[in-house]
Amino acid sequence: MKALVWHGTADVRYDTVPDPEIEQPRDAIVKVTSCAICGSDLHLYDHFMPGMEKGDILGHEFMGEVVDVGAEARSALKVGDRVVVPFTIWCGECDQCRRGNYSVCERSNRNKAMADKLFGHTTAGLFGYTHLTGGYPGGQAEYVRVPFADRTHVKIPDGLTDEQVLFLGDIFPTGWQAAAQCDIQPTDTVAIWGCGPVGQMTIRSAILLGAKQVIAIDRVPERLSMAKAGGAITINFEEESVVERLNELTGGKGPEKCIDAVGMEAHATATLDSMYDRAKQALALESDRAHVLREMMYVCRPAGTLSIPGVYGGLIDKVPFGMSMNKGLTWRMGQTHVNRWTDDLLRRIQEGQIDPSFVITHTVGLADGPGMYETFRDKRDGCIKVVLKP
C-alpha cells in the first residue's frame, strides 16, 4: 500500500509500505477514505518531538471502512462499518479507561517502559506519533491496523459526509475538551491563543458552551478572518499589544479563562522572551517555546483557569511559576480523551449545531501530502486545514 512516511526533518515521502494485518484478536483493519494533516504532525515534520524513527508512517486523524475484524472485536465491529478512529488508543479495561481518562490508558502504549522512564508513568498509545507513544503506524495511508478496535472507534451513521465527521478523531474533541475543562460560566471572557484548526474548534466550542465573549489571538489574516466569522473578537499580535487589548476588553481585570491552542512552536518573534526561546532552542538547551504560557499566566484574572490543549514535548525555561501560584491559577491540560466527548459531539453535528468541515481549506490526494506538509507549515495559499484522500 501507499503511505506518508517520515524520513527525517522536513522529509516526508509518499512510499510503498507493507499492508497491515490482524496481529491481535481485538484488532481491526480500516481502509482509509479520508485523513488530515494536524498541527501536531508539524512538530514531527520539524523534528521537535523525540522518539521518531526513519520509516514511521504518519497521521493520527483518519476515518474509513472496516475491512477485517479480529475475533474479539466482532461484538463491536463488522466488515463494512464506517468509523472515525480516535488518535488515542484505549483498552477500556484499565483504571484510567474506567474513569474516562482515555489518553492516559495504562495498557495501549506498547513502549510502556520507555514512556515510564521519561514521564514517570506511561500515557496511551497514539497513532502515527513517536515511539514514546507506542510507535503505531498512522492513518495517512491506504489502510491502518487499529488495536483495541472494539473500543478505539466512533461508529458513523448514514447521511453524514466524511468531511462533517472526520475531525471527531482529534481537533473537534480537542477544542471541545479545551473549552469544557475551563468550566465556562455565562459571565466569562475566554481568550484563545492560536487560530489554527484546534483554535477554531475551541472558539466555536467556547461559544456553544455559553461564554460571554471569546477573544482569539493570532497573526495570520485568514485564520483571524475565520475566527471572526465564528463569533470571536480578534487580536493580531503583530499589530497591537495582546496585554493591553485584553485589559481593554475586560475592564482591566483580565480574562477568566485562557486557552493555549498553540503549543511548543509559538511564533511570536518581537518579544524578549520569544527571542530567548529561539536562541535556546537553536542551541538544544530548550525544546519548547513557552511564550504563550508566560503571556497567559500574566494576563489571566486571579483565580482563573489556564487550559492547554497545545502539545508540549519536553523542556521549557523561564516560566514564572510564582506568578501563577500567587494568582491562584488552575492549570488543566493533556492529550484529548476523545471518546469521552464524541457521542455528544456527533449529536451536535447531526442536529446542525456545528459543521466541522468549515475549517477545511485544501483537499488533495495522498500522493500530494509531502508538498502539503510544507504548505501547511508555512501557512501558504491560505492553508488552515488539509484533508487527504488516499
Side-chain angles (χ1 to χ4, degrees):
M1 70 171 185
K2 291 291 189 177
L4 298 188
V5 178
W6 189 87
H7 285 269
T9 304
D11 187 0
V12 172
R13 304 178 195 174
Y14 181 64
D15 287 348
T16 299
V17 298
D19 291 351
E21 299 178 349
I22 297 289
E23 298 177 15
Q24 301 293 332
R26 294 178 67 182
D27 288 354
I29 305 297
V30 172
K31 180 181 180 180
V32 178
T33 56
S34 297
C35 54
I37 302 176
C38 183
S40 300
D41 292 325
L42 296 182
H43 303 323
L44 309 181
Y45 185 71
D46 292 328
H47 205 183
F48 285 122
M49 294 292 289
M52 291 299 293
E53 296 181 8
K54 184 177 180 179
D56 287 345
I57 298 174
L58 296 166
H60 59 268
E61 198 165 33
F62 61 96
M63 66 175 295
E65 179 183 336
V66 176
V67 295
D68 198 4
V69 186
E72 293 182 15
R74 291 172 188 162
S75 61
L77 289 173
K78 66 181 184 301
V79 172
D81 281 345
R82 187 163 166 248
V83 295
V84 169
V85 180
F87 77 95
T88 47
I89 303 167
W90 59 291
C91 73
E93 298 168 348
C94 69
D95 286 345
Q96 293 287 10
C97 284
R98 287 198 294 268
R99 296 169 187 264
N101 299 327
Y102 306 127
S103 74
V104 288
C105 171
E106 297 168 328
R107 297 178 57 199
S108 63
N109 188 345
R110 60 186 180 180
N111 292 332
K112 179 181 183 300
M114 185 188 302
D116 282 345
K117 185 173 183 179
L118 187 66
F119 299 142
H121 300 283
T122 190
T123 56
L126 307 180
F127 288 101
Y129 226 60
T130 81
H131 287 259
L132 287 170
T133 55
Y136 288 98
Q140 291 169 7
E142 294 179 323
Y143 295 88
V144 182
R145 179 180 79 91
V146 180
F148 298 104
D150 54 321
R151 298 287 188 164
T152 306
H153 72 271
V154 181
K155 201 170 291 186
I156 301 303
D158 294 337
L160 295 170
T161 66
D162 278 17
E163 287 72 17
Q164 286 177 287
V165 297
L166 172 61
F167 304 133
L168 285 170
D170 182 1
I171 61 169
F172 189 14
T174 294
W176 187 267
Q177 178 172 300
Q181 65 192 8
C182 285
D183 188 25
I184 293 172
Q185 302 300 307
T187 55
D188 282 347
T189 292
V190 180
I192 299 165
W193 278 254
C195 296
V198 168
Q200 299 292 341
M201 297 297 170
T202 307
I203 289 163
R204 285 151 179 83
S205 297
I207 289 169
L208 283 170
L209 288 167
K212 182 179 76 172
Q213 65 177 346
V214 175
I215 303 166
I217 302 152
D218 206 294
R219 65 173 181 175
V220 180
E222 294 85 357
R223 292 183 173 191
L224 289 166
S225 177
M226 187 177 282
K228 188 175 182 179
I233 300 166
T234 58
I235 298 174
N236 185 329
F237 66 78
E238 287 192 336
E239 296 180 355
E240 56 186 332
S241 165
V242 173
V243 175
E244 291 177 6
R245 183 72 172 129
L246 285 175
N247 279 330
E248 177 186 321
L249 289 167
T250 59
K253 293 187 175 182
E256 288 91 347
K257 310 295 165 61
C258 296
I259 300 176
D260 173 4
V262 176
M264 64 192 296
E265 291 187 75
H267 284 96
T269 57
T271 62
L272 182 62
D273 72 310
S274 64
M275 290 186 281
Y276 170 88
D277 282 339
R278 287 179 179 274
K280 289 208 69 173
Q281 194 178 59
L283 295 170
L285 298 174
E286 178 182 44
S287 58
D288 304 358
R289 304 195 290 262
H291 170 76
V292 169
L293 290 179
R294 299 186 194 101
E295 193 161 76
M296 290 202 315
M297 293 164 71
Y298 187 78
V299 303
C300 190
R301 187 175 303 198
T305 298
L306 309 183
S307 175
I308 308 167
V311 172
Y312 286 83
L315 304 174
I316 55 178
D317 195 5
K318 298 294 184 290
V319 173
F321 200 76
M323 180 192 300
S324 181
M325 181 271 168
N326 283 286
K327 291 173 72 175
L329 303 182
T330 296
W331 293 57
R332 300 190 70 182
M333 65 192 85
Q335 299 283 6
T336 309
H337 308 303
V338 175
N339 284 84
R340 182 190 291 183
W341 313 107
T342 48
D343 286 351
D344 179 44
L345 298 183
L346 179 58
R347 175 187 61 81
R348 290 175 185 270
I349 293 171
Q350 289 177 298
E351 292 177 354
Q353 294 184 37
I354 185 171
D355 180 354
S357 67
F358 77 87
V359 79
I360 301 169
T361 54
H362 292 67
T363 301
V364 301
L366 187 65
D368 297 317
M372 289 310 302
Y373 261 87
E374 185 176 354
T375 298
F376 182 35
R377 181 195 63 182
D378 296 341
K379 302 173 182 63
R380 299 199 306 259
D381 192 31
C383 186
I384 295 177
K385 187 65 175 180
V386 180
V387 171
L388 307 170
K389 298 288 186 175

